[in-house]
Amino acid sequence: MTTRQCDSDLCSHNASHTALYQPKMMDEEATKRYCQMSDNGQKQKQAERGSKVGQEEKEITVLPRRKTDELDDTAGMKMAVSGPSSGCSSCIGLKDRCPRPRGLINLLITKVCLFALLFGVIWSITGSECLPGGNLFGIIILFICSVLGGKLVGMIQLPTLPPFPPLLGMLLAGLVLRNVPYITDAVFINTHWSTALRNIALSIILTRAGLGLDPSALSRLKGVCVRVAVGPCMVEASIVTVVSHFLLGLPWVWGFILGFVLAAVSPAVVVPSMLLLQREGYGVEKGIPTLLMAAGSFDDILAITGFSTCLGIAFSTGSTWMNILKGLLEVVGGVIAGLILGLFLSCFPSKDQEDLVLRRTLLLLGLSIFSVFFSHVIGFAGAGGLCTLVLAFLAALGWKTDKAPVAAMVGQSWDVFQPLLFGLIGAEITIATLNPSTVGLGLACISIGLVIRLLVTFLLVHFGGFNLKEKLFIAVAWLPKATVQAAIGSKALDMAREEGDETLIKFGLDVLTLAVLAILITAPIGALGIGLAGPRLLARQVKG
């Protein structure tokens, strides 16, 4: 009793809160060991706030385990195994034996579930807008069909030929959705939404054109590049203006609008074909693929500038001289605004900021889209496109070699809006309302313009150091049309609808119809012509 009392006095101030848990039958040696552990736990109390739980665990480990507890645990485990788990084990075994879908089936089920979930969320927010006949439903169906149409046409691959441009499938998808009975009623797209989406796509095209300008290539190729970019475009625009005035009865200013719409060459057809030939080594020695890719951007800019100027004149009110002055003011104002915004983009955001590429891309696209829409608001529709071109070009000059990732991200946004653009353009054409004489005379205008363009291109590269076969190839490669025609072909019609003038709407429909015909005719002919003529007319550089 004396020894036990002394020991309890020594540790009473440290283990008073645990004394209740000590068993009465604890022997002397266990008690000393327990008090010693309590002292250590008290010293570490500042670092460990849960010493009480720890002491209880230590106490339990010191005391011998009762045999009855082991029996109880064993019995509990047996009950658990023999209880509900016995039924679950059979279910688990059945699940392991059942085959699980993998590969394509799993992918299809996953995508269908994701699509159904997305549709459910959108339907719960928009209601009838995402059901057949609703505007959102029409846009989504058009986008999906355009993507599928582009992939199907892109799969058409002939030996030794470049693939067909996917934009043809996108255009045909919109054309089919508009002209197939019953489907037309279900796929409805509001005119305002269609115009807005096409203007966004136009902004992205102009931004890519500005970023794609290569001053070094222009200085290296010099006179030949300028002649190829300026000469065929201006001559074809002038010829189409005269022919359309006498054949279609278009006013002179509308003739120039049509001429500049049809005069632009398509980078979407030319650039992939040139890259394919360049990879194979055709024409590389004399720089023909580089020449055509560099000149294509300048050709498009010239056509868009002329189109914007004529568009401003066509929708101006007042005397002819005032309309011409307003058109010139739009050009000057667009260039000045583009210079200011381009200088701003070259300085902001600075290189020390995080997510630099993303911020530059968002600012660039935001300012481009804002410029196009704001120019409509203030009544200077032609200034927005020029402003976008200039600001993108100047920003790229400021970024120098850092423009490549920005251009790549802008290209990704184009991958989204390209199906919408060509699908919406195709959906604007209603075959039942087309005048056969308009189609026939329009084909005559396009054909005459193409023949003159072919001859002029052949003559302008005559003093560029190319042989006869190379001249023929450059002339053929300068024929396809698609991207610019889709981007600006409907712009005059949109503005005519805003005016509400039936005569102007007819002129706008004629311009759009000829733009679609030009895409359908020249895009496949140009792609096939480049693929067939390249290996036969160009010298191949053998890689060492």
Side-chain angles (χ1 to χ4, degrees):
M1 292 294 293
T2 304
T3 303
R4 184 175 299 175
Q5 184 177 359
C6 291
D7 291 337
S8 62
D9 290 338
L10 289 173
C11 63
S12 60
H13 64 281
N14 292 327
S16 59
H17 60 288
T18 60
L20 296 174
Y21 297 94
Q22 296 181 8
K24 293 180 180 181
M25 301 303 295
M26 182 181 295
D27 59 351
E28 184 176 330
E29 184 179 355
T31 304
K32 291 181 180 179
R33 189 160 57 247
Y34 180 82
C35 291
Q36 185 178 1
M37 289 188 295
S38 298
D39 290 336
N40 295 334
Q42 186 69 23
K43 291 178 181 178
Q44 297 177 358
K45 189 175 182 179
Q46 294 181 354
E48 299 179 2
R49 309 299 297 177
S51 61
K52 182 176 179 180
V53 178
Q55 291 166 2
E56 292 176 3
E57 293 177 353
K58 293 174 183 176
E59 176 189 353
I60 293 171
T61 57
V62 170
L63 294 177
R65 186 177 179 85
R66 295 185 302 167
K67 189 173 183 180
T68 56
D69 293 339
E70 295 178 357
L71 295 175
D72 292 341
D73 291 341
T74 305
M77 291 175 62
K78 291 181 179 178
M79 290 178 62
V81 172
S82 62
S85 296
S86 60
C88 294
S89 61
S90 61
C91 294
I92 294 173
L94 181 63
K95 183 188 70 172
D96 293 336
R97 289 193 297 269
C98 290
R100 297 182 184 181
R102 296 179 181 276
L104 182 60
I105 297 177
N106 192 295
L107 178 64
L108 290 176
I109 294 175
T110 303
K111 288 190 174 183
V112 168
C113 292
L114 288 174
F115 178 77
L117 180 62
L118 178 63
F119 177 80
V121 172
I122 295 176
W123 174 78
S124 63
I125 296 173
T126 62
S128 60
E129 280 293 308
C130 67
L131 298 178
N135 183 54
L136 188 59
F137 177 83
I139 293 174
I140 293 174
I141 294 298
L142 178 70
F143 177 78
I144 294 173
C145 292
S146 298
V147 171
L148 293 177
K151 289 187 177 296
L152 289 176
V153 173
M155 291 170 62
I156 302 175
Q157 181 79 49
L158 299 177
T160 70
L161 290 179
F164 279 89
L167 55 90
L168 284 177
M170 301 172 189
L171 187 68
L172 291 174
L175 198 64
V176 169
L177 289 176
R178 174 58 61 196
N179 293 279
V180 174
Y182 303 109
I183 296 180
T184 304
D185 299 329
V187 182
F188 167 78
I189 300 177
N190 185 275
T191 306
H192 177 73
W193 276 82
S194 176
T195 303
L197 290 172
R198 281 187 271 112
N199 280 330
I200 294 175
L202 173 63
S203 304
I204 297 173
I205 289 175
L206 296 176
T207 303
R208 294 188 72 195
L211 291 174
L213 289 177
D214 190 356
S216 61
L218 178 62
S219 62
R220 185 173 64 253
L221 297 169
K222 296 181 181 178
V224 180
C225 185
V226 174
R227 290 200 302 270
V228 172
V230 176
C233 178
M234 295 302 297
V235 172
E236 184 181 6
S238 302
I239 293 298
V240 170
T241 299
V242 175
V243 174
S244 64
H245 176 73
F246 290 104
L247 290 183
L248 296 174
L250 293 178
W252 286 109
V253 65
W254 278 90
F256 275 107
I257 289 175
L258 176 62
F260 282 114
V261 167
L262 298 182
V265 73
S266 173
V269 179
V270 173
V271 173
S273 301
M274 290 300 110
L275 291 175
L276 182 61
L277 291 176
Q278 193 174 45
R279 188 167 63 246
E280 297 295 329
Y282 290 106
V284 175
E285 186 176 353
K286 292 188 178 180
I288 293 176
T290 304
L291 166 68
L292 294 178
M293 286 188 290
S297 298
F298 291 100
D299 177 276
D300 293 341
I301 290 173
L302 180 62
I304 293 170
T305 303
F307 169 82
S308 301
T309 305
C310 295
L311 192 69
I313 295 173
F315 288 93
S316 299
T317 56
S319 64
T320 304
W321 290 108
M322 288 299 296
N323 293 341
I324 295 175
L325 179 62
K326 183 184 178 183
L328 295 176
L329 285 176
E330 288 187 2
V331 174
V332 175
V335 171
I336 293 175
L339 289 173
I340 296 173
L341 294 177
L343 290 173
F344 173 80
L345 281 175
S346 62
C347 299
F348 300 95
S350 59
K351 291 186 177 182
D352 57 346
Q353 295 192 27
E354 297 180 354
D355 299 326
L356 180 61
V357 175
L358 178 61
R359 295 186 182 187
R360 281 178 171 175
T361 305
L362 292 177
L363 270 176
L364 177 62
L365 288 177
L367 288 175
S368 300
I369 296 171
F370 175 76
S371 300
V372 171
F373 281 91
F374 184 70
S375 63
H376 282 275
V377 174
I378 62 176
F380 286 81
L386 293 176
C387 177
T388 300
L389 285 170
V390 174
L391 74 89
F393 174 65
L394 204 61
L397 285 181
W399 296 334
K400 297 179 181 178
T401 56
D402 295 335
K403 77 172 184 178
V406 177
M409 194 168 289
V410 173
Q412 293 176 358
S413 64
W414 170 242
D415 292 338
V416 175
F417 279 91
Q418 183 185 16
L420 284 174
L421 173 62
F422 285 97
L424 290 170
I425 290 296
E428 289 288 339
I429 302 297
T430 305
I431 297 177
T433 60
L434 289 179
N435 188 349
S437 64
T438 301
V439 175
L441 295 175
L443 289 174
C445 291
I446 295 171
S447 301
I448 294 172
L450 289 176
V451 172
I452 299 298
R453 182 186 184 94
L454 196 71
L455 295 174
V456 170
T457 306
F458 180 82
L459 293 174
L460 288 176
V461 297
H462 187 67
F463 301 102
F466 303 110
N467 59 39
L468 180 62
K469 291 182 178 181
E470 291 167 344
K471 294 174 189 175
L472 285 175
F473 173 78
I474 294 174
V476 171
W478 221 227
L479 290 181
K481 308 172 187 303
T483 314
V484 177
Q485 286 71 25
I488 65 178
S490 62
K491 200 169 182 62
L493 176 61
D494 295 334
M495 295 183 66
R497 285 172 175 168
E498 292 177 3
E499 295 288 334
D501 191 329
E502 293 296 329
T503 303
L504 297 180
I505 291 176
K506 179 184 178 302
F507 294 155
L509 279 173
D510 290 344
V511 172
L512 178 60
T513 301
L514 266 67
V516 173
L517 289 174
I519 296 172
L520 292 175
I521 294 171
T522 62
I525 292 177
L528 290 175
I530 294 172
L532 290 172
R536 292 167 175 80
L537 299 179
L538 298 179
R540 186 174 187 179
Q541 186 180 37
V542 180
K543 298 180 180 179

